[in-house]
């Protein structure tokens, strides 16, 4: 019929080529999809900035808010300012991690990532409850640089079986909560890191000889300093070290195949490397502290910053 419009069929994709961007392909989303080729995603300045900012404010700033704000504003039988910070962290962090996964130019194992996100939220929520109660113990004379049974306020409890209950609370807070929080956290970052490789000839970097834009270089310092705090306060040095070694081994393996890290992968790797150097300097500085040595016996000696603060700076009000 004259005047009718003939619709062109969509061309079939070549075998092995990546799927086109669009609503039918949710894995190829956002800025990374706009580049076309896998591994060509630009630096995600918005996500990395928000991620670093909320880590500093909601995690590192949480105990500071509990110390600074007057106790009268938050009675001991109600949630504290730090608890509200923790609640916001438990919502915003998984959201930003999901957005980061969406930006990956390569298909990632979604089931593993979703289970990791769910586990992270559960572990951080366990830590929220345990940390909230432990903070209130500080106002009753609990000393953070001592173990549970060595604290005078705990030893005075009667019946003595109550001490076991507080040790269980400490276990939920410092062990189970941390494992369920931090293992999925670093697993998600590592899985995202595996999708940050591009052919070496296509590797993009502006204004930097190491393949990172100036904005990424500015964020490396605050990001690595936060990872230092996370590793030392969370007592997860071995997990962090294993993740860093796995990332380094993956880089060496991919390099033999002609692949190099994009700016996002370089940002993560350099943040981890600088954090490792900061941890080494922190341990070296406190190597001969007898009190902290007693609290952290064994081969792996990585003191917690808030234990140092409780012992040498702030007295009994300091806690994480």
């Amino acid at each position: 019929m004259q005047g009718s419009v003939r619709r062109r069929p969509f061309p079939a994709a070549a075998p092995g080529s990546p799927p086109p961007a669009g609503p039918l392909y949710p894995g190829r989303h956002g800025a990374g999809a706009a580049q076309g080729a896998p591994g060509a995603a630009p630096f995600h300045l918005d996500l990395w900035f928000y991620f670093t900012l909320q880590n500093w404010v909601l995690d590192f700033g949480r105990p500071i808010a509990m110390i600074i704000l007057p106790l009268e504003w938050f009675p001991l039988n109600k949630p504290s300012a730090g608890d509200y910070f923790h609640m916001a962290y438990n919502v915003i962090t998984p959201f930003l991690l999901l957005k980061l996964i969406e930006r990956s130019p390569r298909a990632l194992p979604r089931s593993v990532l979703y289970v990791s996100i769910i586990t992270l939220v559960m572990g951080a929520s366990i830590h929220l409850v345990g940390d909230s109660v432990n903070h209130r113990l500080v106002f009753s004379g609990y000393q953070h640089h001592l173990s549970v049974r060595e604290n005078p306020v705990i030893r005075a409890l009667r019946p003595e079986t109550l001490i076991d209950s507080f040790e269980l609370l400490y276990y939920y807070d410092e062990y189970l909560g941390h494992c369920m929080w931090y293992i999925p956290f670093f697993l998600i970052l590592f899985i995202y890191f595996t999708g940050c490789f591009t052919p070496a000839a296509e590797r993009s970097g502006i204004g930097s000889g190491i393949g990172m834009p100036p904005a990424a270089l500015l964020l490396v310092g605050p990001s690595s300093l936060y990872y230092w705090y996370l590793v030392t306060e969370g007592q997860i040095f071995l997990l962090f070290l294993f993740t860093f070694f796995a990332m380094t081994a993956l880089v060496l393996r991919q390099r033999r195949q002609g692949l190099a890290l994009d700016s996002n992968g370089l940002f993560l790797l350099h943040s981890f490397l600088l954090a490792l150097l900061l941890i080494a300097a922190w341990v070296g500085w406190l190597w001969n502290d007898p009190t902290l040595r007693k609290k952290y016996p064994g081969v792996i000696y990585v003191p917690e910053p808030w234990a140092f603060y409780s012992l040498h700076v702030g007295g009994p009000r300091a806690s994480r």
Side-chain angles (χ1 to χ4, degrees), residues 29-33 35 37-52 96 99-106 108 188-198 202-206 208 210-217 219-220 223 227 247 250-251 260-273:
H29 175 274
Q35 295 293 321
F43 183 69
H44 307 314
L45 175 60
D46 55 342
L47 290 182
W48 289 122
F49 174 77
Y50 294 142
F51 191 63
T52 303
L96 291 177
K99 299 302 292 185
L100 192 64
I101 292 166
E102 288 181 0
R103 296 277 186 93
S104 175
R106 296 181 180 271
L108 301 176
I188 292 167
L189 290 181
F190 178 75
I191 292 176
Y192 171 80
F193 182 81
T194 63
C196 291
F197 289 88
T198 183
E202 298 179 10
R203 175 170 150 180
S204 60
I206 55 174
S208 170
I210 58 175
M212 287 193 295
L217 293 174
L219 279 178
V220 163
S223 176
Y227 287 127
M247 293 165 65
L250 183 62
V251 170
L261 283 172
D262 64 13
S263 56
N264 296 287
L266 285 169
F267 173 75
L268 264 179
L269 188 64
H270 283 85
S271 295
F272 276 42
L273 175 59

Side-chain angles (χ1 to χ4, degrees), residues 160-180:
E160 292 187 3
T161 51
L162 286 175
I163 300 178
D164 296 328
S165 298
F166 280 97
E167 284 192 323
L168 175 62
L169 177 68
Y170 185 84
Y171 171 80
Y172 273 114
D173 179 14
E174 297 294 329
Y175 293 99
L176 184 61
H178 281 190
C179 288
M180 295 182 67

Side-chain angles (χ1 to χ4, degrees), residues 17-208:
S17 64
L24 295 179
Y25 300 93
R28 299 190 54 77
H29 175 274
Q35 295 293 321
F43 183 69
H44 307 314
L45 175 60
D46 55 342
L47 290 182
W48 289 122
F49 174 77
Y50 294 142
F51 191 63
T52 303
L53 179 64
Q54 70 94 30
N55 282 337
W56 272 99
V57 173
L58 299 180
D59 193 17
F60 181 77
R62 172 166 50 88
I64 296 177
M66 291 188 292
I67 292 173
I68 294 177
L69 295 178
L71 180 61
E72 294 76 18
W73 293 4
F74 304 95
L76 295 182
N77 61 343
K78 302 293 182 182
S80 69
D83 296 337
Y84 292 114
F85 277 43
H86 208 321
M87 293 176 197
Y89 176 93
N90 292 3
V91 174
I92 296 175
T93 297
F95 174 77
L96 291 177
L97 289 174
L98 287 171
K99 299 302 292 185
L100 192 64
I101 292 166
E102 288 181 0
R103 296 277 186 93
S104 175
R106 296 181 180 271
L108 301 176
R110 296 302 177 95
S111 297
V112 175
L113 290 168
Y114 290 157
V115 171
S116 298
I117 290 286
I118 294 169
T119 306
L120 183 151
V121 173
M122 183 176 179
S125 300
I126 291 174
H127 183 268
L128 163 63
V129 176
D131 197 61
S132 178
V133 176
N134 283 335
H135 168 67
R136 277 142 183 79
L137 291 177
V138 171
F139 294 98
S140 301
Y142 188 88
Q143 301 177 48
H144 191 64
H145 59 276
L146 299 176
S147 67
V148 175
R149 289 190 176 270
E150 290 177 338
N151 266 271
V153 66
I154 299 296
R155 287 187 300 179
L157 291 175
R158 294 295 181 271
E160 292 187 3
T161 51
L162 286 175
I163 300 178
D164 296 328
S165 298
F166 280 97
E167 284 192 323
L168 175 62
L169 177 68
Y170 185 84
Y171 171 80
Y172 273 114
D173 179 14
E174 297 294 329
Y175 293 99
L176 184 61
H178 281 190
C179 288
M180 295 182 67
W181 179 0
Y182 296 131
I183 291 177
F185 179 84
F186 283 103
L187 178 60
I188 292 167
L189 290 181
F190 178 75
I191 292 176
Y192 171 80
F193 182 81
T194 63
C196 291
F197 289 88
T198 183
E202 298 179 10
R203 175 170 150 180
S204 60
I206 55 174
S208 170

Side-chain angles (χ1 to χ4, degrees), residues 232-254:
T232 53
E233 188 65 30
Q235 292 294 286
I236 51 170
F237 176 72
L238 288 180
L239 173 62
F240 173 78
L241 191 65
F242 177 80
T243 305
F244 176 74
F245 283 162
M247 293 165 65
T248 304
L250 183 62
V251 170
L252 297 177
R253 178 178 178 274
Q254 296 290 66

